Amino acid sequence: MELLPLWLCLGLYFLTVEWRNGSRTATAASQGSCKLIDGVADCQGQNLVSVPSNLPSHTSMLILDTNPLKTLWNYSLQPYPLLESLSLHSCLLERIGRHAFQEQGHLRSLALADNALWENYKETAAALHTLPGLQRLDLSGNSLTEDMAAQMLHNLSSLQVISLARNTLMRLDESVFEGLESLQELDLQRNYIFEIEGGAFDGLTKLQRLNLAYNNLPCIVDFSLTQLRFLNVSYNILEWFLAAREEAAFELELLDLSHNQLLFFPLLPQCNKLHTLLLRDNNMGFYRDLYNTSSPQEMVAQFLLVDGNVTNITTVSLWEEFASGELSALRILDMSQNQFQYLPDGFLKKAPSLSHLNLNQNCLVRLHIREHEPPGALTELDLSHNQLSELHLAPGLVGCLRNLRVFNLSSNQLLGVPTGLFANASDITTIDMSHNQISLCPQPAALDWVGPTSCVDFRNMTSLKSLSLEGCGLRALQDCPFQGTSLTHLDLSNNLGVLNGTVAPLWDIAPTLQVLSLRNVSLSSGLAELDFSGFGNLKHLDLSGNSLASFPKFKGSLALQTLDLRRNALTAFPQRAVSEQLLRSLQTVYLSQNPYDCCGMDGWGALEHLEAIADLAMVTCNLSSKVVRVMELPGGRPQICKWEQVDMGLLYLVLLLPSCLTLLVACTIIFLTFKKPLLQLIKSRCHWSSIY
Ligand SMILES: *[C@@H]1O[C@H](CO)[C@@H](O)[C@H](O)[C@H]1NC(C)=O
Ligand SMILES: *[C@@H]1O[C@H](CO)[C@@H](O)[C@H](O)[C@H]1NC(C)=O
Ligand SMILES: *[C@@H]1O[C@H](CO)[C@@H](O)[C@H](O)[C@H]1NC(C)=O
Ligand SMILES: *[C@@H]1O[C@H](CO)[C@@H](O)[C@H](O)[C@H]1NC(C)=O
Ligand SMILES: *[C@@H]1O[C@H](CO)[C@@H](O)[C@H](O)[C@H]1NC(C)=O
Ligand SMILES: *[C@@H]1O[C@H](CO)[C@@H](O)[C@H](O)[C@H]1NC(C)=O
Ligand SMILES: *[C@@H]1O[C@H](CO)[C@@H](O)[C@H](O)[C@H]1NC(C)=O
Ligand SMILES: *[C@@H]1O[C@H](CO)[C@@H](O)[C@H](O)[C@H]1NC(C)=O
Ligand SMILES: *[C@@H]1O[C@H](CO)[C@@H](O)[C@H](O)[C@H]1NC(C)=O
Ligand SMILES: *[C@@H]1O[C@H](CO)[C@@H](O)[C@H](O)[C@H]1NC(C)=O
Ligand SMILES: *[C@@H]1O[C@H](CO)[C@@H](O)[C@H](O)[C@H]1NC(C)=O
Ligand SMILES: *[C@@H]1O[C@H](CO)[C@@H](O)[C@H](O)[C@H]1NC(C)=O
């Protein structure tokens, strides 16, 4: 492997200074436009152009944020000799007089964020040097370069916390932070730092928190800040992280390297106290299994470390990468959004205290579960968005997931999980198996069954509360697949036909269910109406994307708060009685995208004024082949519907009347036409004595 170009880089965290007065309840007075409470003068946003001089002289905290001061004049703070904290955020400050802080011996905390202090930085620097007891200094957002910062900070040996975030620092050398012996926290995030010379932080013997997020650092090699506890280098362009090969004990507890371009697992200090390691969104993988080489020479990287005229070469065996660093205190490991195709044997064993492991969005194909791997302390395991087709459980292993609470297997290619994986997982509350083509075991399998399994059994998992089986290609549920659980959240969405027209398979868990998602499961209210009467605790029900033609029944189910009925085949709103009963608890209901009939709006009256209809503006109905927004319908029933609603008897009468009249007229004419002969006929037949 060729020699890597030399980058000497080294490595904050800045606690936002708590300017507020907390929750004191002392009575507030007011002086001019400033609020005074317990020695705190709050003059934020009062359009002041200078420091007010009429505040009580014992004021200990002065907040002047967002006032257009522009200049902090010499001696303007002299009336307040007991000031401990001064905040001047966003005051358009360009200039701070060199005597501005004269006799401010008590000042501990000074916030100068978001001003324009680059303009007269020399005078500002002189002013800062008159503050012997200053502990916290916020200079963020002042367009300072490293030279300006160096001048301002030089020998401020009492400073404990400094923020230089959002400035224009680019290169750090040992001169920038010279003499800051007490510094514990340094925030350098959101600058343009691309190089940190060796020794830049050497004088900062008490430094514990360093934030370098959002800079342009290409690597960190020879990391040797043993006293540092918190290091944040997220959002840089790191390709390497390499700790010094020292035997020294590192205090490092939290390392955030997320959102970089690391290719290899970081080469951590041999001895550390790391409990949180964040590696999200890099390009990392393990490679040993992918290369078949017998020559160890090809498996090393050499780092050339140049310091002045001294050159050191560090050789690192890349395939043994994880073996180098200590992980025994690790509790949280986030390896999501990387390129991991496998985890080396023994990798997880090295982290026996691990409680959270995130492997979301990698390329894992297989996971071997062995004794202590993953470690028994694990409570959350996220394997979602991988290509897992097999979880392999070592034969005879039980109780491997003893403490697991959340298991996310979403979006893999699993057909099932090994029998016994969940045996003894007595703390598990949440399983997400969505987007795997699994099936549910028809029979409980024998615990000693070994070999590939192509189904999952959730029965008798008493601790299970939340289960997502969305988009699992589930066929119609048989019997009671969730028997023996007390599920509160169940997602069966996007499984066409999973309920086969009845909610009977859910009756076992009906009393405990609180959230049920049945979106797009091809429910139709063909045979029997859906009956949710036994679901006494159901709070949220999603029935969208089905073909329901009538409202489901909710007798007794009065806990319901949210109901989603979008994209169904409803033509009418529920009857008034039904809605009234529902509305007692319902807070949100979605009704849009149904082919309601504008003339069948009987139930609308009860719903109309309801604020609970979240998509009221989108509810439409069909009015003689037009689609109309229900809200825009004129007050009463549309004119066109009135005809339809008229009493049918009357309608028939009206329709029949013209025909009857025509018939009558015709009869009369016929009668008159044939009157004579008819009369004559009758006369001749009856031999009446003629009166003609
Ligand atoms: C100070 O405390 C009071 C009372 O709790 C609160 O109303 C006020 O907003 C606080 N001031 C600041 C600047 O937080
Ligand atoms: C503060 O006083 C010095 C002289 O001691 C002077 O040079 C400077 O201009 C003054 N600054 C301001 C902001 O008035
Ligand atoms: C800082 O302090 C050192 C020793 O006390 C001194 O030699 C140096 O001149 C000081 N630097 C500045 C800029 O004051
Ligand atoms: C590191 O800094 C970034 C940027 O401020 C922040 O989003 C992230 O939460 C920090 N990491 C930790 C562990 O605090
Ligand atoms: C590695 O190569 C050797 C011969 O060079 C071969 O016998 C062995 O099977 C290979 N191993 C893998 C994992 O490909
Ligand atoms: C180089 O190695 C020597 C001896 O191992 C060590 O004393 C020195 O600090 C190293 N220098 C650098 C720049 O790492
Ligand atoms: C390195 O440079 C220093 C002066 O900068 C010199 O005293 C020393 O002898 C040099 N060392 C080597 C090994 O060249
Ligand atoms: C696992 O559970 C079974 C009973 O279901 C019990 O006999 C066994 O002791 C448990 N094993 C562990 C390691 O907890
Ligand atoms: C599982 O992971 C997926 C994708 O990362 C996420 O959307 C889902 O919310 C997770 N499930 C749980 C229960 O956290
Ligand atoms: C669940 O437990 C009950 C009672 O403990 C038992 O009768 C039943 O067989 C168990 N079912 C399964 C699938 O293990
Ligand atoms: C409904 O579910 C099926 C099966 O999962 C899926 O193919 C289809 O895209 C889903 N339809 C919608 C509208 O989500
Ligand atoms: C679905 O229900 C119908 C009648 O209710 C039944 O005949 C059919 O067998 C069921 N289908 C499945 C897959 O259970």
Side-chain angles (χ1 to χ4, degrees):
M1 172 136 331
E2 80 249 56
L3 293 184
L4 286 145
L6 159 69
W7 292 101
L8 256 188
C9 340
L10 263 194
L12 264 235
Y13 186 81
F14 168 74
L15 267 187
T16 315
V17 182
E18 193 62 52
W19 297 112
R20 313 288 163 195
N21 57 10
S23 50
R24 287 179 227 187
T25 47
T27 46
S30 112
Q31 187 83 49
S33 44
C34 300
K35 278 180 246 145
L36 307 176
I37 307 144
D38 272 3
V40 177
D42 181 356
C43 310
Q44 289 187 61
Q46 301 294 338
N47 220 14
L48 301 171
V49 292
S50 62
V51 178
S53 55
N54 54 350
L55 301 169
S57 61
H58 63 270
T59 300
S60 63
M61 180 190 271
L62 178 54
I63 301 166
L64 285 166
D65 299 355
T66 55
N67 284 295
L69 296 181
K70 291 222 167 78
T71 303
L72 189 65
W73 298 102
N74 284 336
Y75 311 111
S76 56
L77 293 165
Q78 221 167 23
Y80 315 111
L82 300 178
L83 217 50
E84 289 171 18
S85 169
L86 174 63
S87 181
L88 293 162
H89 274 261
S90 310
C91 288
L92 309 175
L93 279 180
E94 294 166 1
R95 190 167 176 207
I96 295 182
R98 68 174 62 237
H99 304 299
F101 302 122
Q102 209 77 48
E103 284 156 47
Q104 290 297 328
H106 294 272
L107 201 64
R108 297 283 172 271
S109 174
L110 177 58
L112 296 167
D114 296 306
N115 287 293
L117 293 179
W118 59 275
E119 295 226 29
N120 294 286
Y121 69 94
K122 285 188 176 147
E123 199 174 356
T124 302
L128 291 175
H129 282 101
T130 63
L131 289 169
L134 197 62
Q135 292 173 353
R136 294 172 162 264
L137 177 60
D138 185 353
L139 288 170
S140 54
N142 274 293
S143 307
L144 301 175
T145 64
E146 57 268 21
D147 297 334
M148 298 174 184
Q151 271 212 27
M152 289 190 178
L153 299 175
H154 245 161
N155 287 1
L156 291 181
S157 55
S158 60
L159 273 181
Q160 294 172 4
V161 180
I162 299 178
S163 175
L164 283 166
R166 295 181 285 110
N167 280 292
T168 52
L169 275 55
M170 291 198 229
R171 227 182 125 267
L172 304 181
D173 57 30
E174 60 267 271
S175 70
V176 181
F177 304 113
E178 206 176 294
L180 300 176
E181 297 152 4
S182 312
L183 197 63
Q184 293 169 12
E185 296 186 24
L186 180 56
D187 188 350
L188 293 170
Q189 65 179 307
R190 294 181 197 269
N191 277 281
Y192 303 90
I193 302 168
F194 65 91
E195 194 181 353
I196 300 176
E197 274 190 19
F201 299 116
D202 275 3
L204 309 179
T205 50
K206 299 226 174 80
L207 192 65
Q208 294 185 354
R209 302 174 77 92
L210 177 60
N211 194 338
L212 285 162
Y214 293 100
N215 279 288
N216 296 320
L217 290 170
C219 71
I220 290 187
V221 292
D222 201 26
F223 170 74
S224 56
L225 298 177
T226 50
Q227 80 287 7
L228 205 64
R229 289 168 49 203
F230 174 107
L231 175 61
N232 190 342
V233 205
S234 59
Y235 297 98
N236 277 268
I237 48 172
L238 293 184
E239 290 181 5
W240 292 97
F241 180 91
L242 172 61
R245 312 271 90 188
E246 289 180 15
E247 296 299 301
F250 282 69
E251 295 296 315
L252 197 61
E253 288 171 15
L254 186 149
L255 177 58
D256 188 349
L257 297 174
S258 44
H259 307 285
N260 278 289
Q261 294 165 18
L262 294 171
L263 286 163
F264 295 91
F265 199 81
L267 299 150
L268 301 168
Q270 289 289 358
C271 179
N272 63 59
K273 298 180 176 167
L274 215 54
H275 62 63
T276 303
L277 178 56
L278 306 176
L279 303 171
R280 185 192 192 83
D281 185 23
N282 278 282
N283 301 319
M284 272 182 268
F286 289 118
Y287 305 97
R288 187 169 40 183
D289 278 14
L290 309 179
Y291 290 80
N292 182 11
T293 169
S294 46
S295 152
Q297 279 308 314
E298 291 180 54
M299 303 200 277
V300 299
Q302 288 180 318
F303 291 83
L304 191 62
L305 308 178
V306 183
D307 187 5
N309 53 4
V310 187
T311 301
N312 279 7
I313 295 176
T314 299
T315 305
V316 179
S317 168
L318 290 174
W319 310 152
E320 303 291 335
E321 55 276 269
F322 71 88
S324 59
E326 164 93 29
L327 297 175
S328 62
L330 203 60
R331 295 199 296 268
I332 299 175
L333 176 57
D334 186 352
M335 296 165 56
S336 59
Q337 297 179 35
N338 275 286
Q339 313 282 338
F340 291 104
Q341 296 184 348
Y342 73 99
L343 299 181
D345 294 352
F347 173 67
L348 293 176
K349 225 180 214 168
K350 287 181 55 107
S353 318
L354 198 62
S355 67
H356 289 67
L357 175 59
N358 190 349
L359 284 161
N360 158 279
Q361 290 189 54
N362 278 284
C363 323
L364 298 173
V365 179
R366 197 173 311 112
L367 190 76
H368 288 276
I369 297 169
R370 304 183 185 82
E371 186 146 28
H372 306 306
E373 212 175 344
L378 203 64
T379 60
E380 280 195 42
L381 177 55
D382 189 345
L383 294 168
S384 58
H385 283 284
N386 278 281
Q387 290 146 33
L388 286 173
S389 57
E390 195 189 337
L391 289 178
H392 184 263
L393 187 68
L397 188 66
V398 281
C400 51
L401 303 178
R402 271 191 313 284
N403 289 305
L404 199 65
R405 292 202 202 109
V406 181
F407 196 9
N408 197 339
L409 285 164
S410 172
S411 305
N412 278 286
Q413 289 154 23
L414 294 169
L415 299 174
V417 298
T419 324
L421 180 69
F422 296 137
N424 299 71
S426 54
D427 278 347
I428 204 158
T429 59
T430 305
I431 297 179
D432 190 341
M433 293 211 70
S434 54
H435 308 290
N436 285 285
Q437 295 303 302
I438 58 163
S439 38
L440 301 177
C441 302
Q443 310 285 334
L447 257 186
D448 47 11
W449 167 261
V450 269
T453 26
S454 52
C455 66
V456 197
D457 194 357
F458 297 107
R459 278 172 284 208
N460 283 1
M461 293 184 66
T462 45
S463 57
L464 195 60
K465 295 279 181 249
S466 172
L467 177 61
S468 176
L469 296 173
E470 189 197 336
C472 283
L474 292 176
R475 287 181 297 266
L477 297 182
Q478 304 293 329
D479 308 332
C480 321
F482 309 113
Q483 194 181 33
T485 68
S486 41
L487 283 177
T488 59
H489 292 60
L490 178 61
D491 190 349
L492 289 173
S493 299
N494 292 338
N495 289 289
L496 300 180
V498 68
L499 285 182
N500 197 17
T502 164
V503 291
L506 305 181
W507 279 345
D508 272 313
I509 47 170
T512 53
L513 266 187
Q514 292 172 15
V515 180
L516 177 59
S517 186
L518 296 172
R519 186 168 20 90
N520 183 26
V521 294
S522 57
L523 279 176
S524 58
S525 32
L527 295 170
E529 273 182 278
L530 281 181
D531 188 351
F532 289 94
S533 299
F535 293 67
N537 282 309
L538 198 59
K539 294 199 178 76
H540 306 280
L541 177 59
D542 185 353
L543 289 169
S544 60
N546 288 290
S547 354
L548 298 179
S550 60
F551 255 64
K553 277 198 233 156
F554 296 102
K555 244 180 259 135
S557 169
L558 290 178
L560 204 63
Q561 291 171 3
T562 313
L563 175 61
D564 194 342
L565 287 166
R566 282 174 287 189
R567 298 187 300 283
N568 271 290
L570 298 172
T571 53
F573 295 101
Q575 294 303 308
R576 180 175 290 265
V578 177
S579 355
E580 275 170 4
Q581 181 235 5
L582 261 180
L583 295 181
R584 258 174 261 159
S585 60
L586 212 56
Q587 288 162 5
T588 313
V589 59
Y590 298 91
L591 293 170
S592 62
Q593 302 177 61
N594 278 289
Y596 300 109
D597 179 0
C598 294
C599 298
M601 305 280 292
D602 289 334
W604 184 246
L607 296 172
E608 200 172 7
H609 303 292
L610 202 65
E611 284 174 12
I613 303 182
D615 54 352
L616 182 63
M618 278 142 66
V619 181
T620 57
C621 62
N622 298 344
L623 184 62
S624 53
S625 77
K626 269 190 302 185
V627 176
V628 189
R629 281 174 205 267
V630 172
M631 268 175 83
E632 287 167 7
L633 283 180
R637 190 178 300 282
Q639 208 65 28
I640 194 167
C641 300
K642 289 209 170 125
W643 283 109
E644 287 182 25
Q645 298 292 322
V646 182
D647 187 349
M648 282 325 243
L650 202 63
L651 191 68
Y652 287 136
L653 190 69
V654 170
L655 287 176
L656 283 178
L657 204 59
S659 326
C660 294
L661 278 176
T662 316
L663 207 64
L664 199 64
V665 170
C667 291
T668 316
I669 291 170
I670 291 169
F671 178 71
L672 289 178
T673 315
F674 297 102
K675 188 168 81 175
K676 245 184 202 154
L678 194 66
L679 277 177
Q680 278 166 0
L681 186 72
I682 294 168
K683 208 164 110 186
S684 64
R685 284 255 182 101
C686 300
H687 307 286
W688 285 350
S689 49
S690 175
I691 54 162
Y692 300 109

